[in-house]
């Protein structure tokens, strides 16, 4: 009775931990999507205010985005820490004596949650690094632009050479942004392909596990493969015979 009670307690606790881990993962997924949108819109907001001569409006918007960035970073870091704690707590239950068969299933679940945590952590740090790099670059360009405007207003010079310089600067900035967008699209495509490859490997692993666990399924798969090979040989033979007959007919 004591062992049955312990096993039931183990199942209750592990079920609660798995539910808590899934809830944290869903919250992290939503937060990371919003965080990525914030980082993407940061440069666009800077470009939208480039032609505005007022100093208060762009500063207010950028300051608001900076505060949102800091707040969301703290929230995501807290969620990552909570998910890490849940995974660590789940790992403690894998060593519970008397539940060997249950521990194997829990280890598989724990590894999946750890992989998800690693992916979310990597995505968060990458997005955060991109945002900081964009903000540093935009601040530098904004400082250069402000110096140019100060020079123009202080000297009263508005000649053709200055206009050409500003236009060239705009062209370079647009080219730089297009290159960044292209690289981002390429990286996103690569990540999607990597994710799809991981899913396919997981499906193949599950099929192999089922095949090894159930000999009937394994035999059925082998028969299907043998039939496919036989059909391929028959089809190849038919094509070969037809080709020979056509050649003989053509040369007669």
């Amino acid at each position: 009775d004591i062992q049955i009670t312990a096993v039931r307690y183990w199942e209750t606790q592990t079920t609660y931990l798995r539910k808590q881990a899934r809830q944290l993962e869903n919250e992290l997924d939503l937060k990371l999507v919003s965080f990525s949108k914030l980082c993407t819109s940061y440069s666009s907001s800077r470009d939208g205010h480039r032609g505005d001569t007022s100093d208060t409006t762009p500063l207010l918007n950028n300051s608001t985005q900076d505060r949102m960035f800091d707040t969301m970073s703290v929230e995501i870091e807290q969620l990552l820490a909570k998910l890490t704690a849940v995974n660590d707590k789940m790992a403690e239950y894998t060593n519970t004596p008397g539940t060997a068969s249950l521990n194997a299933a829990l280890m598989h679940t724990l590894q999946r949650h750890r992989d998800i945590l690693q992916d979310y952590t990597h995505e968060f740090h990458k997005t955060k690094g991109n945002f900081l790099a964009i903000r540093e670059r935009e601040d530098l360009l904004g400082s250069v632009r402000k110096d140019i405007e100060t020079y123009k207003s202080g000297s009263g010079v508005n000649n053709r050479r200055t206009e050409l310089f500003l236009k060239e600067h705009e062209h370079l900035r647009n080219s730089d942004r297009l290159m960044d967008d292209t690289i981002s699209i390429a990286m996103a495509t690569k990540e999607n392909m990597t994710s799809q490859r991981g899913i396919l490997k997981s499906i193949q692993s599950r099929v192999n596990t089922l095949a090894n666990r159930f000999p009937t399924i394994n035999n059925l798969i082998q028969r299907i493969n043998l039939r496919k090979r036989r059909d391929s040989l028959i089809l190849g033979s038919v094509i070969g015979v037809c080709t020979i007959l056509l050649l003989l007919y053509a040369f007669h």
Side-chain angles (χ1 to χ4, degrees):
D1 293 339
I2 296 175
Q3 186 176 2
I4 294 174
T5 303
V7 170
R8 289 179 178 176
Y9 175 78
W10 183 93
E11 291 178 347
T12 302
Q13 292 299 316
T14 54
T15 300
Y16 171 75
L17 290 174
R18 289 196 297 268
K19 182 178 179 181
Q20 191 175 10
R22 287 193 296 268
Q23 182 178 358
L24 290 172
E25 288 168 357
N26 292 334
E27 293 180 9
L28 273 170
D29 187 68
L30 295 176
K31 288 287 185 182
L32 287 173
V33 170
S34 300
F35 190 67
S36 179
K37 290 181 179 179
L38 173 66
C39 297
T40 303
S41 63
Y42 185 82
S43 179
S44 299
S45 67
R46 284 291 186 95
D47 294 336
H49 292 295
R50 183 176 301 162
D52 194 349
T53 57
S54 176
D55 292 333
T56 57
T57 302
L59 289 176
L60 179 61
N61 291 336
N62 291 332
S63 178
T64 302
Q65 286 185 322
D66 290 340
R67 287 196 300 270
M68 291 178 60
F69 170 78
D70 295 335
T71 302
M72 294 185 68
S73 296
V74 172
E75 291 175 354
I76 293 174
E77 288 174 353
Q78 291 175 351
L79 289 174
L80 290 173
K82 290 180 181 179
L83 184 56
T84 302
V86 171
N87 289 343
D88 293 340
K89 188 67 176 179
M90 199 182 302
E92 295 177 4
Y93 282 95
T94 58
N95 299 322
T96 303
T99 57
S101 60
L102 299 176
N103 285 339
L106 182 60
M107 282 294 296
H108 177 73
T109 303
L110 176 60
Q111 183 60 40
R112 183 172 61 85
H113 286 300
R114 283 177 173 173
D115 293 339
I116 293 174
L117 173 61
Q118 184 179 2
D119 292 339
Y120 283 160
T121 303
H122 174 71
E123 182 179 354
F124 168 67
H125 289 302
K126 184 186 71 173
T127 306
K128 183 178 180 181
N130 291 339
F131 179 90
L132 293 176
I134 292 173
R135 184 169 64 180
E136 182 179 0
R137 184 184 59 191
E138 292 291 341
D139 290 339
L140 179 60
L141 292 175
S143 177
V144 173
R145 195 178 301 113
K146 186 177 180 180
D147 292 339
I148 293 173
E149 293 295 334
T150 302
Y151 171 77
K152 287 174 61 178
S153 61
S155 61
V157 178
N158 190 14
N159 53 24
R160 181 65 178 172
R161 183 176 180 181
T162 304
E163 292 178 359
L164 291 175
F165 174 76
L166 291 175
K167 288 182 179 180
E168 186 66 23
H169 179 269
E170 288 296 324
H171 289 316
L172 292 174
R173 178 68 185 90
N174 292 332
S175 298
D176 187 43
R177 186 173 64 254
L178 289 175
M179 290 179 63
D180 288 341
D181 293 340
T182 303
I183 293 174
S184 299
I185 294 172
M187 293 298 295
T189 304
K190 179 182 177 182
E191 291 178 359
N192 290 332
M193 293 180 66
T194 303
S195 176
Q196 292 177 5
R197 183 178 63 183
I199 293 173
L200 291 176
K201 286 185 178 180
S202 176
I203 294 173
Q204 183 180 3
S205 176
R206 292 179 183 178
V207 171
N208 292 333
T209 302
L210 289 174
N212 295 329
R213 187 174 297 176
F214 302 101
T216 305
I217 297 177
N218 192 12
N219 293 333
L220 180 60
I221 293 174
Q222 290 180 357
R223 291 178 181 177
I224 293 173
N225 292 330
L226 289 175
R227 180 167 294 180
K228 288 173 63 178
R229 292 178 183 175
R230 186 189 64 186
D231 293 342
S232 298
L233 291 175
I234 293 173
L235 181 61
S237 300
V238 172
I239 293 174
V241 171
C242 292
T243 303
I244 294 173
L245 293 176
L246 287 174
L247 291 174
L248 292 175
Y249 177 78
F251 286 106
H252 272 293

